[in-house]
Amino acid sequence: MANQSNRRVLLARRPDGPLSRDCFQVETSQCSTLEDGQLLIEANCLSIDAFIRTVMYEEAYHGSVPVGGTLVALGVGRVLESRSPEFEAGDGVFGPIGAQTHAVVPASLFRKVDESVAPLRAWVGALGVTTGLTAYFGIRAVGCVQPGETVVVSAAAGAVGSVAAQIARIDGGRVIGIAGGPDKCRFLTEELGLDGAVDYKSDDVEGALRELAPDGVDVYFDNVGGELLDVVLDQIREKARIVICGAISQYESMESVRGPSLYLRLAERHARMEGFAVNFFETRYGEAQRELSIWLKRGELVMHEHVFSGIDQFPEALLAMFSGGHRGKLIVEP
Ligand SMILES: NC(=O)c1ccc[n+]([C@@H]2O[C@H](COP(=O)([O-])OP(=O)(O)OC[C@H]3O[C@@H](n4cnc5c(N)ncnc54)[C@H](OP(=O)(O)O)[C@@H]3O)[C@@H](O)[C@H]2O)c1
């Protein structure tokens, strides 16, 4: 194929505090010529995920992006050209495309998606590894929500949180979401049908939670960490499960992560706190995607999207994740 032009987002400098636009640079270049075992992919939807922020550090759990390197991003796209026997032009695929419009990538890192089950974009959202699957395994395998239990979810209006809250409802939980602002709280109760919502930006969170969950909390699905974790820990019931999915309040400065000071409530109430990384469940992705796609088709699960158009908007989309203006899944359509 003729030289394919590519527009991509580079890490211009490592952030030394909250993210800012000057950490990024957007440039146009040419894709390299395909070699055996490689694919040329046109990106269709890029997933904005919290781990993109953490790989901007020099050392990070998910690996580190060098200054001047293309930012990482998972996404779905279409194969334009294939030099792998397992793919052909036109296939819809999911994998680490990067923050760019086009990518020449090793075929071994990509999976074909079944567009008869759900449209291409659903494979970064409700059926996506970092969204639907993370919520599914956090609720089912770690939180083990039982009918009638009281479940609290933080960042409940976001991507993982909104799916986790809905799965907990499907599993018979009484679900209370925590989110920032009255609009998001209305979204939780009126559009997602949750049993209650707490606005952590203006409510007295401790008091509001006691009112909504007078008998205490059985499962806390935590996306936020920091102070909120302590507030909920203080209100857990015996045998509660605290699911550590993430701690977005702590990612802007990994040097001073604040852990829970009320962790002794775990001992006092015979409770457990368990973290998880979704990739540990890789062998069960198919099972989860089947179930999630059925809920989607029946309308029992809804995935709201907040879409940024154009790859030049990628930095703004990542900034939005921390300022919290979105509902549901943050996506960039390059
Ligand atoms: N364990 C795993 O394998 C795994 C996989 C994927 C993601 N995750 C984790 O899942 C969590 C959610 O990710 P997501 O992609 O679904 O993001 P998201 O919830 O769509 O976006 C993040 C939300 O966090 C809230 N937030 C941001 N800063 C905050 C702060 N300082 N205090 C309280 N809330 C804050 C904002 O909502 P408000 O407007 O409500 O503040 C924002 O909308 C992250 O912690 C991420 O690391 C874990």
Side-chain angles (χ1 to χ4, degrees):
M1 171 175 271
N3 246 358
Q4 171 67 57
S5 126
N6 175 33
R7 192 144 173 86
R8 58 187 184 141
V9 184
L10 310 178
L11 177 64
R13 70 165 182 88
R14 294 198 190 283
D16 46 17
L19 266 190
S20 56
R21 186 66 181 74
D22 64 351
C23 296
F24 309 90
Q25 188 189 329
V26 189
E27 66 158 41
T28 303
S29 60
Q30 298 295 316
C31 289
S32 55
T33 310
L34 236 57
E35 294 176 4
D36 281 347
Q38 290 187 324
L39 306 173
L40 171 63
I41 293 173
E42 180 175 51
N44 182 287
C45 284
L46 297 175
S47 174
I48 295 296
D49 289 303
F51 80 87
I52 303 173
R53 173 67 184 86
T54 60
V55 299
M56 294 167 83
Y57 290 109
E58 200 151 3
E59 283 175 25
Y61 166 72
H62 295 285
S64 174
V65 174
V67 173
T70 307
L71 274 178
V72 295
L74 296 169
V76 286
R78 224 164 265 296
V79 174
L80 295 182
E81 193 182 345
S82 169
R83 285 192 56 185
S84 157
E86 282 150 45
F87 295 86
E88 54 188 56
D91 283 345
V93 292
F94 168 83
I97 294 177
Q100 51 195 344
T101 58
H102 296 82
V104 170
V105 291
S108 56
L109 298 182
F110 281 75
R111 284 193 295 126
K112 261 189 240 185
V113 301
D114 186 347
E115 293 176 72
S116 69
V117 171
L120 197 51
R121 60 193 308 115
W123 297 85
V124 291
L127 307 185
V129 175
T130 53
T131 300
L133 298 188
T134 299
Y136 181 95
F137 291 112
I139 290 291
R140 282 274 169 100
V142 188
C144 307
V145 171
Q146 301 301 311
E149 287 192 322
T150 297
V151 182
V152 174
V153 179
S154 59
V160 174
S162 65
V163 180
Q166 291 176 82
I167 297 173
R169 285 266 298 154
I170 289 169
D171 286 349
R174 250 194 90 243
V175 184
I176 298 160
I178 303 178
D183 286 350
K184 282 195 173 183
C185 286
R186 257 193 306 280
F187 164 73
L188 294 179
T189 51
E190 291 173 15
E191 293 191 42
L192 299 188
L194 304 194
D195 300 281
V198 176
D199 174 1
Y200 79 91
K201 287 187 176 161
S202 61
D203 287 348
D204 152 24
V205 180
E206 199 185 322
L209 207 51
R210 272 193 212 289
E211 216 167 277
L212 288 167
D215 298 325
V217 175
D218 295 291
V219 176
Y220 179 39
F221 188 105
D222 189 18
N223 289 307
V224 167
E227 271 171 44
L228 272 181
L229 176 52
D230 272 329
V231 170
V232 182
L233 268 174
D234 205 25
Q235 300 193 30
I236 55 174
R237 283 165 65 102
E238 278 184 16
K239 297 279 181 95
R241 284 85 67 204
I242 315 295
V243 181
I244 304 298
C245 175
I248 196 146
S249 70
Q250 304 297 305
Y251 298 160
E252 296 272 35
S253 166
M254 296 303 268
E255 276 153 25
S256 54
V257 171
R258 179 194 191 278
S261 60
L262 291 184
Y263 73 94
L264 285 181
R265 297 287 177 272
L266 299 171
E268 293 160 7
R269 299 180 195 167
H270 200 131
R272 74 176 159 83
M273 182 182 300
E274 184 176 344
F276 76 103
V278 65
N279 51 296
F280 280 79
F281 295 100
E282 198 171 350
T283 54
R284 294 176 55 194
Y285 283 178
E287 151 205 335
Q289 281 163 333
R290 269 189 296 282
E291 198 152 16
L292 287 159
S293 67
I294 291 170
W295 293 331
L296 267 183
K297 276 188 185 136
R298 288 190 193 143
E300 291 168 3
L301 173 67
V302 289
M303 180 85 259
H304 284 255
E305 289 179 353
H306 188 115
V307 178
F308 285 77
S309 297
I311 193 68
D312 289 44
Q313 290 293 306
F314 191 94
E316 273 67 31
L318 198 52
L319 289 166
M321 166 156 275
F322 293 88
S323 55
H326 68 285
R327 292 162 196 196
K329 179 74 194 165
L330 274 171
I331 282 176
V332 173
E333 287 177 345

mmCIF file of all heavy atoms in Angstrom, residues 57 225-226 247 249-260:
data_model
loop_
_atom_site.group_PDB
_atom_site.id
_atom_site.type_symbol
_atom_site.label_atom_id
_atom_site.label_comp_id
_atom_site.label_asym_id
_atom_site.label_seq_id
_atom_site.Cartn_x
_atom_site.Cartn_y
_atom_site.Cartn_z
ATOM 1 N N TYR A 57 4.414 8.544 33.775
ATOM 2 C CA TYR A 57 5.517 8.596 34.750
ATOM 3 C C TYR A 57 6.702 7.808 34.206
ATOM 4 O O TYR A 57 6.544 6.919 33.369
ATOM 5 C CB TYR A 57 5.077 7.978 36.088
ATOM 6 C CG TYR A 57 4.076 8.815 36.832
ATOM 7 C CD1 TYR A 57 2.759 8.398 36.947
ATOM 8 C CD2 TYR A 57 4.443 10.026 37.406
ATOM 9 C CE1 TYR A 57 1.827 9.164 37.618
ATOM 10 C CE2 TYR A 57 3.511 10.802 38.074
ATOM 11 C CZ TYR A 57 2.215 10.369 38.183
ATOM 12 O OH TYR A 57 1.289 11.132 38.841
ATOM 13 N N GLY A 225 -10.446 5.939 45.813
ATOM 14 C CA GLY A 225 -9.458 5.936 46.899
ATOM 15 C C GLY A 225 -9.505 7.208 47.717
ATOM 16 O O GLY A 225 -10.518 7.919 47.748
ATOM 17 N N GLY A 226 -8.402 7.527 48.417
ATOM 18 C CA GLY A 226 -8.311 8.771 49.194
ATOM 19 C C GLY A 226 -9.328 8.838 50.328
ATOM 20 O O GLY A 226 -9.694 7.824 50.926
ATOM 21 N N ALA A 247 -7.903 4.093 42.017
ATOM 22 C CA ALA A 247 -7.815 5.193 42.994
ATOM 23 C C ALA A 247 -7.524 6.480 42.239
ATOM 24 O O ALA A 247 -6.459 7.078 42.389
ATOM 25 C CB ALA A 247 -6.735 4.894 44.019
ATOM 26 N N SER A 249 -8.269 9.438 42.517
ATOM 27 C CA SER A 249 -7.914 10.664 43.247
ATOM 28 C C SER A 249 -6.413 10.712 43.542
ATOM 29 O O SER A 249 -5.898 11.748 43.959
ATOM 30 C CB SER A 249 -8.697 10.760 44.561
ATOM 31 O OG SER A 249 -8.231 9.787 45.475
ATOM 32 N N GLN A 250 -5.714 9.604 43.314
ATOM 33 C CA GLN A 250 -4.296 9.533 43.703
ATOM 34 C C GLN A 250 -3.334 9.528 42.514
ATOM 35 O O GLN A 250 -2.126 9.514 42.698
ATOM 36 C CB GLN A 250 -4.062 8.250 44.533
ATOM 37 C CG GLN A 250 -4.959 8.135 45.740
ATOM 38 C CD GLN A 250 -4.722 9.247 46.747
ATOM 39 O OE1 GLN A 250 -3.602 9.455 47.202
ATOM 40 N NE2 GLN A 250 -5.771 9.990 47.071
ATOM 41 N N TYR A 251 -3.859 9.520 41.278
ATOM 42 C CA TYR A 251 -2.959 9.302 40.141
ATOM 43 C C TYR A 251 -2.156 10.532 39.722
ATOM 44 O O TYR A 251 -1.197 10.405 38.981
ATOM 45 C CB TYR A 251 -3.733 8.797 38.915
ATOM 46 C CG TYR A 251 -4.419 7.466 39.105
ATOM 47 C CD1 TYR A 251 -5.474 7.086 38.265
ATOM 48 C CD2 TYR A 251 -4.034 6.583 40.094
ATOM 49 C CE1 TYR A 251 -6.117 5.873 38.425
ATOM 50 C CE2 TYR A 251 -4.684 5.373 40.267
ATOM 51 C CZ TYR A 251 -5.725 5.023 39.426
ATOM 52 O OH TYR A 251 -6.364 3.832 39.586
ATOM 53 N N GLU A 252 -2.581 11.716 40.175
ATOM 54 C CA GLU A 252 -1.875 12.916 39.726
ATOM 55 C C GLU A 252 -0.540 13.091 40.436
ATOM 56 O O GLU A 252 0.280 13.916 40.056
ATOM 57 C CB GLU A 252 -2.741 14.168 39.918
ATOM 58 C CG GLU A 252 -4.012 14.168 39.067
ATOM 59 C CD GLU A 252 -3.838 14.762 37.670
ATOM 60 O OE1 GLU A 252 -2.772 14.607 37.066
ATOM 61 O OE2 GLU A 252 -4.803 15.379 37.197
ATOM 62 N N SER A 253 -0.297 12.330 41.500
ATOM 63 C CA SER A 253 1.009 12.385 42.154
ATOM 64 C C SER A 253 1.288 11.035 42.794
ATOM 65 O O SER A 253 0.873 10.780 43.922
ATOM 66 C CB SER A 253 1.018 13.487 43.217
ATOM 67 O OG SER A 253 2.154 13.310 44.028
ATOM 68 N N MET A 254 1.982 10.153 42.071
ATOM 69 C CA MET A 254 2.180 8.796 42.576
ATOM 70 C C MET A 254 3.180 8.761 43.740
ATOM 71 O O MET A 254 3.336 7.752 44.403
ATOM 72 C CB MET A 254 2.675 7.875 41.451
ATOM 73 C CG MET A 254 1.683 7.692 40.320
ATOM 74 S SD MET A 254 0.091 7.048 40.871
ATOM 75 C CE MET A 254 0.357 5.295 40.681
ATOM 76 N N GLU A 255 3.860 9.899 44.007
ATOM 77 C CA GLU A 255 4.858 9.895 45.074
ATOM 78 C C GLU A 255 4.224 9.964 46.459
ATOM 79 O O GLU A 255 4.822 9.589 47.446
ATOM 80 C CB GLU A 255 5.807 11.091 44.912
ATOM 81 C CG GLU A 255 6.911 10.785 43.931
ATOM 82 C CD GLU A 255 7.426 12.029 43.259
ATOM 83 O OE1 GLU A 255 7.292 13.121 43.836
ATOM 84 O OE2 GLU A 255 7.946 11.898 42.133
ATOM 85 N N SER A 256 3.002 10.487 46.526
ATOM 86 C CA SER A 256 2.401 10.642 47.853
ATOM 87 C C SER A 256 1.003 10.031 47.860
ATOM 88 O O SER A 256 0.036 10.714 48.138
ATOM 89 C CB SER A 256 2.336 12.114 48.224
ATOM 90 O OG SER A 256 1.670 12.816 47.193
ATOM 91 N N VAL A 257 0.911 8.749 47.532
ATOM 92 C CA VAL A 257 -0.393 8.078 47.531
ATOM 93 C C VAL A 257 -0.896 7.960 48.966
ATOM 94 O O VAL A 257 -0.166 7.550 49.864
ATOM 95 C CB VAL A 257 -0.264 6.671 46.885
ATOM 96 C CG1 VAL A 257 -1.536 5.883 47.083
ATOM 97 C CG2 VAL A 257 0.084 6.808 45.411
ATOM 98 N N ARG A 258 -2.184 8.342 49.172
ATOM 99 C CA ARG A 258 -2.753 8.320 50.518
ATOM 100 C C ARG A 258 -3.524 7.015 50.700
ATOM 101 O O ARG A 258 -4.499 6.757 50.004
ATOM 102 C CB ARG A 258 -3.706 9.509 50.666
ATOM 103 C CG ARG A 258 -4.406 9.626 51.996
ATOM 104 C CD ARG A 258 -5.561 10.625 51.851
ATOM 105 N NE ARG A 258 -6.152 11.011 53.119
ATOM 106 C CZ ARG A 258 -7.052 10.283 53.760
ATOM 107 N NH1 ARG A 258 -7.437 9.119 53.277
ATOM 108 N NH2 ARG A 258 -7.576 10.728 54.894
ATOM 109 N N GLY A 259 -3.073 6.210 51.627
ATOM 110 C CA GLY A 259 -3.772 4.936 51.906
ATOM 111 C C GLY A 259 -4.854 5.142 52.940
ATOM 112 O O GLY A 259 -4.944 6.210 53.543
ATOM 113 N N PRO A 260 -5.693 4.132 53.194
ATOM 114 C CA PRO A 260 -6.791 4.294 54.154
ATOM 115 C C PRO A 260 -6.276 4.313 55.594
ATOM 116 O O PRO A 260 -5.438 3.504 55.958
ATOM 117 C CB PRO A 260 -7.652 3.054 53.912
ATOM 118 C CG PRO A 260 -6.721 2.043 53.327
ATOM 119 C CD PRO A 260 -5.670 2.806 52.580
#
